[in-house]
Amino acid sequence: CNKKDATEEDILTLIRALPGSSYELEKVLASVESVNMTRAALFLHKVAMTSVRNRYDMSELCKAHFNRSIDCYLEDKDEDFKSGVFPYVKKECSGDNVSTLRDVVVHRLPELVELDSVLTAQFIGEVFVEDIDMILSLLRGIEGGRIEYEFLRAIISGALDKVDRVAAQELSANLTVDHHHVYLHSMTRFQPDEVYQYLSNNNDYRLSDALKICRDGKITDASAYLLERTGDVSGALKLMLETLDSRTTHLRSILQSSYSSLSSDLKRTGRIGPKSFGRRNEVAEKEISVMKQLLSAILDLCERNKDDHLPLDNERGPLLWFYVLDWL
């Protein structure tokens, strides 16, 4: 291990060739771990687990080696090798080993979600689907809720369904309306631009609670969509047009400020710095993107209600289009 020209493959070849009785496993483990040979260490931790697995007085030692095996996968530099942790933990936590090793995996779940949320969800769906409440409770609050959100997103967004339809169906069946509200609340913080799309494609939420979440998060298009669902179509349109007005004013100020600043740079230096220009342009483009999304939601609302003809003196359907055209 201490030779400069020795590779980890050399060490692995040697360890695999030697009978287990010919060396002291803990000493060899210390040697390979001291030089960060994670794959050699992984092999030895697996050997150690095999030797103590079925001994009732060695369960804690077995869990310790299992925990270090997971470390070996996660500390490896190769991303494909890291992903090998998922079939490994699934195999070890199946059958008789669940009661011994499940606690280890459960407490490593945040790291597994960080590595790949979809594969983590697949693993949970295959092995721990009945413990979904406990798992979500464990993930809650980690990194401000981001880890729990990524895990739920893997299930609810349909990403897991593309990988494992059975696991996706199992997990989805065990998610409650409260879980969906946790997901929605997190989405308003981490991906607010996706809230409208989520609400328009799902019904797994309480309308009044969802509306409060979106209003608190100041998600205009989503709030308007939910207002429309309560029957307040004109209120929904008014909210979006007012927001579009304020966004237009904001965009105008961005462009005016950018123009003034760039003109000042040009007068002072005779040139415009590409970084300065790019930064200001990025801010304006982001604002324009938000406005386009909002305008798209407005047109969706008009389209959904175009045939909603009330008495002749109040033809709401056609009038919606005129309100929008007048604003434009």
Side-chain angles (χ1 to χ4, degrees):
C1 288
N2 292 323
K3 287 181 66 177
K4 291 182 179 179
D5 60 342
T7 66
E8 185 163 17
E9 192 58 41
D10 294 333
I11 301 298
L12 268 171
T13 301
L14 177 59
I15 294 173
R16 286 170 177 158
L18 291 170
S21 59
S22 67
Y23 58 88
E24 293 184 45
L25 188 141
E26 292 297 336
K27 286 187 176 181
V28 177
L29 250 176
S31 294
V32 298
E33 288 185 329
S34 69
V35 290
N36 299 316
M37 290 188 176
T38 54
R39 300 188 191 187
L42 175 62
F43 177 83
L44 291 169
H45 282 299
K46 288 180 177 179
V47 169
M49 282 185 64
T50 301
S51 66
V52 301
R53 186 189 306 276
N54 297 320
R55 295 174 56 181
Y56 75 93
D57 59 333
M58 292 290 185
S59 61
E60 290 304 313
L61 185 58
C62 183
K63 288 185 345 186
H65 282 295
F66 180 52
N67 195 43
R68 284 296 294 131
S69 295
I70 295 173
D71 285 334
C72 290
Y73 277 107
L74 298 182
E75 291 169 7
D76 200 273
K77 296 178 181 179
D78 186 284
E79 292 299 321
D80 290 335
F81 186 84
K82 282 184 179 181
S83 296
V85 71
F86 294 103
Y88 172 66
V89 295
K90 177 187 172 184
K91 176 186 173 185
E92 293 299 332
C93 289
S94 299
D96 296 335
N97 299 327
V98 173
S99 59
T100 306
L101 304 176
R102 64 180 297 164
D103 289 345
V104 175
V105 177
V106 166
H107 285 93
R108 302 302 297 267
L109 281 177
E111 296 164 271
L112 297 180
V113 172
E114 192 76 61
L115 177 61
D116 193 311
S117 59
V118 174
L119 292 180
T120 304
Q122 181 185 27
F123 164 67
I124 297 301
E126 292 176 346
V127 180
F128 296 137
V129 66
E130 295 178 358
D131 299 309
I132 188 70
D133 274 327
M134 178 270 291
I135 287 165
L136 287 170
S137 296
L138 179 74
L139 298 178
R140 193 156 299 145
I142 298 175
E143 291 191 21
R146 187 182 65 82
I147 296 297
E148 182 186 22
Y149 173 66
E150 291 297 335
F151 178 73
L152 283 170
R153 186 166 181 259
I155 304 167
I156 298 173
S157 70
L160 177 59
D161 190 60
K162 296 175 182 177
V163 174
D164 189 330
R165 181 163 294 181
V166 174
Q169 290 173 345
E170 287 285 334
L171 285 172
S172 295
N174 281 274
L175 291 180
T176 66
V177 171
D178 288 334
H179 293 144
H180 280 271
H181 278 281
V182 169
Y183 177 63
L184 175 60
H185 186 268
S186 299
M187 187 183 288
T188 63
R189 294 168 53 219
F190 298 114
Q191 291 183 302
D193 292 346
E194 294 190 12
V195 173
Y196 173 75
Q197 194 68 28
Y198 165 71
L199 292 173
S200 60
N201 291 322
N202 290 275
N203 292 303
D204 298 308
Y205 52 84
R206 293 180 294 271
L207 194 57
S208 58
D209 291 345
L211 181 56
K212 183 179 186 309
I213 290 171
C214 292
R215 278 176 163 167
D216 290 346
K218 298 181 179 179
I219 315 295
T220 302
D221 52 357
S223 298
Y225 173 76
L226 294 171
L227 271 176
E228 178 191 357
R229 287 195 58 192
T230 66
D232 188 3
V233 178
S234 59
L237 182 60
K238 182 181 178 183
L239 173 63
M240 287 195 285
L241 288 177
E242 287 175 350
T243 305
L244 206 51
D245 265 330
S246 65
R247 288 285 185 178
T248 304
T249 302
H250 187 220
L251 177 62
R252 184 182 294 115
S253 67
I254 290 172
L255 294 174
Q256 288 173 339
S257 173
S258 177
Y259 175 78
S260 298
S261 181
L262 292 174
S263 297
S264 176
D265 287 349
L266 190 61
K267 289 178 182 178
R268 188 176 67 255
T269 65
R271 56 188 288 274
I272 296 174
K275 287 185 179 179
S276 177
F277 178 79
R279 196 161 49 246
R280 292 184 175 91
N281 190 53
E282 186 179 332
V283 173
E285 287 296 332
K286 184 176 180 180
E287 189 66 22
I288 290 169
S289 177
V290 171
M291 291 176 65
K292 284 182 177 180
Q293 183 174 331
L294 190 55
L295 184 57
S296 178
I298 289 171
L299 299 179
D300 286 346
L301 180 142
C302 291
E303 182 65 23
R304 284 192 297 268
N305 294 277
K306 66 180 180 181
D307 297 322
D308 186 10
H309 292 281
L310 297 178
L312 191 61
D313 60 344
N314 188 16
E315 292 183 293
R316 186 174 70 185
L319 282 177
L320 292 175
W321 290 108
F322 285 103
Y323 287 137
V324 176
L325 288 169
D326 283 345
W327 182 89
L328 293 173

